[in-house]
Amino acid sequence: MTDRLHRDHLPAGTQPPVTPETVGFVHLGIGAFHRAHQAVCTEQAARATGDRRWGILGVTQRSARVRDQLRPQGGVYTVLTAGAHESSIDLVGSVLDVAWPAEETGRVLSTIAAPTTHLVTLTVTEKGYCRDGAGALDRSQVDGDLAALAAETSAGADDGTAAADVVPGASAIGLLVRGLAARQRSAAAAGERRPLTVLTCDNMVDNGRVLARLVGEAVDAALPGAEGDDLRDWLARDVTFPCSMVDRIVPATTPGQRDAVEAELGVRDEGLVVGEPFSQWVIEDRFAGPRPAWEEAGATLTDDVSVWERAKLRLLNGTHSLLAYAGRLAGHTTMAEAVQDPAIAARARQLLFDDALPTLTPPAGADLSAYGESLLERFANPATGHTTRQVSMDGTQKIPYRWGDTIAARLAADHVPHGAAYALACWAEVVRREAVEGRAVDDPRGEELQRLVAAVGDGSAEHADPVEVTRALTALPGLLPGDAAQDPRLLDAVAVEVEALAEHTATMR
């Protein structure tokens, strides 16, 4: 039986991973993306500088799976960088441990509160921010954490764990706010300030400011009036929420990849993650205290992330979503298959270069046309294995940022965004077909989408007219900005596209 990879049992012939001296930051949402992106940057920064303060306590929200993968390995795992023609394997040791809030919420709170912790970072996906259709905090998703916050504050728990029974964290936002409150109470008890940087790395416009607003709404809901004044004052004085933009394709690891790495290294790694060769991280230089030297690992520190963010959301993420929905309708399983379909690739280029690119101001030194061309090459890399079904999840959370602003800007410039109209039609047709087949729509508003399709068909999704379904879906509150959803130029263009799509009967993947 092959031995398990461990920090104290490393394969011969590999560069040893970094062993941090302490936890320097807590990461909420330690899935594959963080392990192949921010944790790698942290590893590389430590190698470059010798600074060993930046060990990571990862927090896995939905299950104990990542904890059970990494804890028996001492936190160490491998990253397989998979290019179209060659690959490489690296060991990463920046993650010291992983906690699961269902069993270890007290540990998470006390670590956020600790004076040696200087950052909390997040990759919890758009839906992890617990927002309603209008973008405000959806209290129904965080009520348990807010009630726990009120109880912990009333008990005066210095680090959030003094209560007899620590209520398990049920949401990333709720856990974050409870951790912030624990840090504020602990700092006050010690007569210290303990500044903290909270850095979100999820694909949302102005993601740091969105997170700061949601945290404020949570505090106001749990600790209204004078009850929350100390926490609000501390947040305003000692906590920053920088914006950031991240970019690396990180597909799900396959059993075959895990077996291949085991054969090469001679040890079994249950925590293996896979990433493409390209990696980018742009961070607003607005930190409350110390941080890893991420710039030594290629990160860009800037005063304005927004120009980078818009380019990535509208070009990369917008095109990625188009390929996913169109690919599913055409029967393609992977993103590489979808982008190599000439008909779909032509529409992707239309969205990229005719619709999105004219709406953008290039960041200094960036060639967005070349970036657009590189995206199509990256998506065609079969080694990434990204599936169309995986990328097409959570459409109502993604469309406002990936297509909505492009659509609004082109309509305002008196141009019909035909590529974006095709993308909208593909999304709507995927939703309609899921409803017709009686399958759940993988979206936080999935039940609402299914009800809407059925309503168009007078109670039967099967009888719902595709064009009318698309018009109803396009009019969903919060999906498109301003008056775009009512603009007849857009609606007519989408109707033409969906009529053509509805004629085809390929098996949807």
Side-chain angles (χ1 to χ4, degrees):
M1 186 177 194
T2 306
D3 289 337
R4 185 85 171 261
L5 175 67
H6 192 274
R7 194 177 294 273
D8 298 327
H9 180 77
L10 300 173
T14 58
Q15 183 178 28
V18 167
T19 298
E21 297 170 353
T22 186
V23 170
F25 67 98
V26 174
H27 182 81
L28 305 180
I30 186 167
F33 184 81
H34 171 73
R35 285 179 282 153
H37 192 279
Q38 295 96 20
V40 171
C41 288
T42 304
E43 180 92 2
Q44 293 171 346
R47 290 190 189 282
T49 63
D51 188 349
R52 298 293 193 266
R53 291 177 294 168
W54 302 108
I56 301 166
L57 174 65
V59 180
T60 178
Q61 196 68 40
R62 289 177 289 186
S63 75
R65 183 176 61 86
V66 178
R67 183 196 65 181
D68 295 344
Q69 289 174 339
L70 295 190
R71 184 170 288 174
Q73 301 181 179
V76 172
Y77 61 94
T78 49
V79 176
L80 171 64
T81 300
H85 306 293
E86 58 184 10
S87 62
S88 62
I89 299 172
D90 297 285
L91 296 178
V92 175
S94 55
V95 176
L96 284 175
D97 198 7
V98 177
W100 184 32
E103 297 175 354
E104 302 168 274
T105 285
R107 182 185 179 195
V108 175
L109 298 182
S110 62
T111 306
I112 293 175
T116 51
T117 299
H118 300 288
L119 301 100
V120 175
T121 56
L122 301 89
T123 49
V124 296
T125 76
E126 293 95 326
K127 67 182 176 183
Y129 289 81
C130 301
R131 293 172 294 169
D132 60 21
L137 183 70
D138 183 352
R139 287 193 52 177
S140 67
Q141 298 185 55
V142 297
D143 265 349
D145 282 310
L146 298 186
L149 170 60
E152 288 157 1
T153 301
S154 177
D158 287 352
D159 63 1
T161 63
D165 296 304
V166 178
V167 176
S171 66
I173 293 298
L175 194 62
L176 170 63
V177 177
R178 290 169 65 186
L180 292 171
R183 188 176 182 89
Q184 180 268 319
R185 293 192 303 269
S186 181
E192 301 171 352
R193 290 185 59 178
R194 289 193 200 168
L196 188 74
T197 301
V198 181
L199 177 61
T200 168
C201 303
D202 285 299
N203 290 317
M204 301 182 297
V205 175
D206 281 339
N207 53 9
R209 290 164 183 78
V210 168
L211 179 56
R213 176 177 54 77
L214 293 170
V215 166
E217 291 176 10
V219 172
D220 290 345
L223 304 171
E227 291 180 84
D229 281 350
D230 288 345
L231 179 54
R232 276 185 284 269
D233 290 345
W234 179 77
L235 288 169
R237 183 184 66 245
D238 288 338
V239 181
T240 60
F241 295 83
C243 294
S244 75
M245 185 275 283
V246 295
D247 186 1
R248 191 180 195 188
I249 296 174
V250 179
T253 304
T254 67
Q257 289 167 329
R258 193 168 282 114
D259 291 343
V261 169
E262 178 181 349
E264 182 164 345
L265 296 183
V267 292
R268 183 71 174 177
D269 177 13
E270 296 296 343
L272 171 70
V273 292
V274 182
E276 65 166 334
F278 182 90
S279 183
Q280 184 181 35
W281 194 4
V282 181
I283 312 168
E284 182 182 11
D285 195 0
R286 192 163 60 90
F287 291 83
R291 62 169 178 82
W294 284 317
E295 66 273 22
E296 296 292 334
T300 298
L301 278 294
T302 180
D303 292 334
D304 185 9
V305 173
S306 64
V307 290
W308 299 88
E309 179 183 72
R310 284 193 293 270
K312 193 249 181 172
L313 283 168
R314 298 183 194 182
L315 297 177
L316 184 147
N317 296 117
T319 307
H320 215 213
S321 287
L322 179 151
L323 291 168
Y325 292 114
R328 285 187 66 183
L329 293 174
H332 298 308
T333 300
T334 69
M335 298 296 292
E337 292 171 356
V339 77
Q340 291 175 60
D341 183 320
I344 296 175
R347 304 312 297 268
R349 295 184 71 86
Q350 189 176 39
L351 175 65
L352 266 173
F353 299 110
D354 296 346
D355 295 348
L357 196 60
T359 71
L360 297 168
T361 300
D367 183 341
L368 293 186
S369 293
Y371 176 67
E373 293 290 351
S374 75
L375 293 177
L376 299 176
E377 295 177 9
R378 290 168 59 194
F379 295 154
N381 177 5
T384 60
H386 245 164
T387 67
T388 53
R389 178 172 289 277
Q390 176 187 7
V391 178
S392 63
M393 294 166 53
D394 307 331
T396 60
Q397 301 290 296
K398 297 174 179 176
I399 288 171
Y401 309 105
R402 300 184 178 198
W403 303 337
D405 291 332
T406 292
I407 289 169
R410 293 308 278 158
L411 291 173
D414 202 26
H415 290 276
V416 178
H418 288 287
Y422 171 76
L424 270 175
C426 289
W427 166 71
E429 185 62 5
V430 166
V431 171
R432 185 187 71 84
R433 293 192 193 185
E434 293 281 55
V436 168
E437 295 296 326
R439 293 190 294 261
V441 180
D442 203 338
D443 189 290
R445 299 172 72 176
E447 293 182 1
E448 179 185 359
L449 299 178
Q450 287 180 311
R451 289 194 300 270
L452 189 152
V453 175
V456 171
D458 292 327
S460 170
E462 188 173 356
H463 297 146
D465 177 73
V467 172
E468 294 307 314
V469 166
T470 302
R471 290 182 183 275
L473 290 173
T474 303
L476 278 172
L479 191 74
L480 298 180
D483 297 326
Q486 289 79 43
D487 193 301
R489 297 170 295 173
L490 175 67
L491 294 177
D492 289 347
V494 174
V496 170
E497 301 290 356
V498 82
E499 285 177 340
L501 290 169
E503 291 177 1
H504 296 283
T505 57
T507 301
M508 189 174 72
R509 297 297 178 93

